[in-house]
Amino acid sequence: MITPGKTIGIFGGGQLGRMTGIAARKMGYSVHIFEPAANCPAGHIADREINASYEDKEALKDFIQQIDVLTYEFENIPSATIEFAAEHRPLHPSSSVLFTCQNREREKLFLRANNIPHADFEIVTSEEELEAAVGKIGTPCVLKTADFGYDGKGQIKLSSEDKDFGKIWAQFSAPKAVLEKWVQFDLELSVICARNSKGEQCTFPVSENIHTNHILDLSIVPARISEHVTKEAETLALQIANQLDVVGLIAVEMFLTKEGKIIVNELAPRPHNSGHYSFDACVTSQFEQHVRSVCDLPLGSTELLEPNVMVNILGDAWHAGEPDWAKLLEDPKVKLHLYGKAQARPGRKMGHFCVMDKSLETALHKAQQYRNLITSTP
Ligand code: AMP
């Protein structure tokens, strides 16, 4: 057990690391961050920030020597770095969980091997394989890079009109891809599951997620789905966490099809954007739960205190200067989180806010109103 007072190391210095760090510090842990870019969101709240390349062995040794347990806040960390770190300190979720989830091919093969519902897919490594795969899967479908894809980056949707496979493959410029059937979904859902090394597991309330331009825009909690679908979504997430032997968090993104079937889209073994609401609206946040599980402490209650809607604040909101935060905060049931990023670029996640209310409908209505307010005012 890694008890409060010890030191947690985190690979990655973004907002997920920052919020995990805040939860850890609240509990009395020290937080050390390893992140290539200086002045990172997690660095601001850390006891120590190391800015070095993930390939820098000396910097890695120095980082590892001063921590008791290690985790990460994003998946694209080189395998050699992870293996090296895991030889010296406990790493959670494990390197094998990360290996499966950091690559779409391996993730899909895991879902297939474990009979977890997923969209039909084929692995593609050439123009010829792409043509054969489209013939097999049918259109519409979506071509996704096997490595380094997120928020819709490295994805092309293909329709029946797209027949120049040579051009598509050349444009795609990745050595390997997954071609996936396009799912006609009613809703997108996610379930975050926490698991500790004793195999104790629990889920957070199911979130209903609305994306705009492939980026999460709103999370509505609890999701507006039946009890039966809720149970099924939770059961699938628990099954996945158990089968992967996760210690820490795993976020499971799902589609609810028009026929009422759940299909798993993606896995992320870390805190997740669709779980940010838990920071304000659950007895234990996803960030605290991550700390508890990687430190092998008992898990906290994930009870939802009140229905709520989380809105992502993108860099676009700065188009005419700093948004009017004071106006947003006039509603005492709004919670604002800004990540301390220096540059507001369009599409960049700069922060989020959460609107709580006894009535989910009221929270949703207010959230949409406030989103318009901060995107339209300087
Ligand atoms: P991903 O990077 O796989 O999470 O995809 C980003 C977003 O693209 C998802 O949240 C969906 O809105 C959409 N998307 C991805 N794959 C599919 C699919 N097979 N069918 C329908 N929509 C998809």
Side-chain angles (χ1 to χ4, degrees):
M1 196 182 286
I2 312 290
T3 46
K6 297 208 167 155
T7 301
I8 301 176
I10 305 178
F11 276 135
Q15 60 268 20
L16 299 172
R18 178 185 177 99
M19 290 184 273
T20 304
I22 290 170
R25 292 195 72 164
K26 251 169 76 175
M27 295 175 78
Y29 289 99
S30 292
V31 176
H32 291 193
I33 300 288
F34 192 103
E35 155 69 48
N39 191 24
C40 64
H44 302 159
I45 59 86
D47 296 271
R48 185 173 188 224
E49 174 185 0
I50 294 183
N51 297 128
S53 147
Y54 285 119
E55 276 85 21
D56 184 337
K57 269 267 169 74
E58 287 311 308
L60 277 172
K61 273 189 206 157
D62 176 30
F63 173 61
I64 285 162
Q65 261 163 17
Q66 297 195 33
I67 60 167
D68 297 296
V69 66
L70 184 57
T71 187
Y72 43 88
E73 58 115 47
F74 85 132
E75 287 107 304
N76 293 333
I77 304 159
S79 295
T81 304
I82 285 289
E83 294 302 340
F84 175 77
E87 274 168 29
H88 297 89
R89 289 290 180 273
L91 171 88
H92 301 302
S94 69
S95 53
S96 82
V97 172
L98 181 62
F99 187 70
T100 302
C101 299
Q102 71 183 175
N103 169 285
R104 272 188 212 278
E105 177 189 11
R106 293 192 288 268
E107 193 172 276
K108 295 277 181 202
L109 292 174
F110 162 78
L111 296 176
R112 185 185 272 168
N114 289 284
N115 288 321
I116 294 158
H118 56 276
D120 282 350
F121 70 93
E122 292 288 322
I123 308 299
V124 171
T125 61
S126 67
E127 171 190 339
E128 293 73 27
E129 284 180 10
L130 175 62
E131 183 165 2
V134 173
K136 213 163 159 190
I137 299 274
T139 52
C141 53
V142 53
L143 191 64
K144 300 180 176 179
T145 53
D147 277 315
F148 305 121
Y150 70 98
D151 284 348
K153 289 188 174 66
Q155 295 190 16
I156 312 180
K157 190 179 174 187
L158 303 179
S159 73
S160 55
E161 325 261 277
D162 296 307
K163 294 219 156 51
D164 190 346
F165 296 107
K167 195 168 154 202
I168 297 165
W169 187 245
Q171 264 177 6
F172 197 62
S173 71
K176 203 179 233 186
V178 173
L179 184 83
E180 202 179 289
K181 195 172 177 58
W182 190 257
V183 179
Q184 305 294 343
F185 60 78
D186 235 4
L187 293 177
E188 291 193 66
L189 305 172
S190 58
V191 181
I192 295 164
C193 181
R195 190 169 177 278
N196 66 17
S197 68
K198 295 176 200 77
E200 288 166 358
Q201 335 190 67
C202 68
T203 55
F204 280 86
V206 183
S207 169
E208 174 185 337
N209 303 320
I210 299 178
H211 294 82
T212 305
N213 299 326
H214 297 283
I215 301 175
L216 184 65
D217 185 8
L218 301 178
S219 282
I220 302 167
V221 187
R224 294 166 298 175
I225 51 175
S226 68
E227 254 179 59
H228 169 76
V229 173
T230 302
K231 193 92 215 113
E232 204 182 317
E234 287 168 353
T235 305
L236 268 174
L238 290 166
Q239 181 194 342
I240 290 169
N242 199 35
Q243 256 151 356
L244 278 171
D245 198 14
V246 171
V247 173
L249 292 188
I250 184 150
V252 182
E253 291 184 54
M254 307 167 184
F255 299 126
L256 178 64
T257 68
K258 298 214 173 297
E259 296 75 37
K261 224 181 123 207
I262 291 183
I263 285 184
V264 172
N265 176 38
E266 249 199 329
L267 310 176
R270 52 167 171 77
H272 193 259
N273 195 167
S274 67
H276 287 2
Y277 75 88
S278 63
F279 215 157
D280 301 309
C282 288
V283 172
T284 309
S285 73
Q286 63 164 346
F287 306 104
E288 179 179 334
Q289 200 78 307
H290 190 62
V291 170
R292 284 174 178 243
S293 40
V294 304
C295 293
D296 218 7
L297 294 170
L299 300 179
S301 159
T302 57
E303 184 189 331
L304 188 68
L305 299 170
E306 211 167 44
N308 68 89
V309 176
M310 189 276 321
V311 180
N312 263 343
I313 305 170
L314 302 182
D316 310 62
W318 274 254
H319 65 98
E322 194 76 15
D324 190 349
W325 305 123
K327 184 97 193 118
L328 177 69
L329 293 170
E330 276 175 10
D331 184 331
K333 299 209 77 169
V334 164
K335 304 286 267 186
L336 175 66
H337 299 250
L338 292 173
Y339 309 143
K341 294 184 184 177
Q343 265 200 319
R345 288 190 297 273
R348 189 174 197 207
K349 291 174 182 168
M350 301 295 290
H352 69 269
F353 68 88
C354 200
V355 189
M356 319 218 328
D357 200 278
K358 282 190 185 63
S359 148
L360 183 60
E361 253 172 64
T362 306
L364 182 55
H365 176 74
K366 284 179 165 184
Q368 282 162 332
Q369 207 182 328
Y370 300 155
R371 185 191 39 194
N372 294 343
L373 173 90
I374 57 161
T375 49
S376 63
T377 58

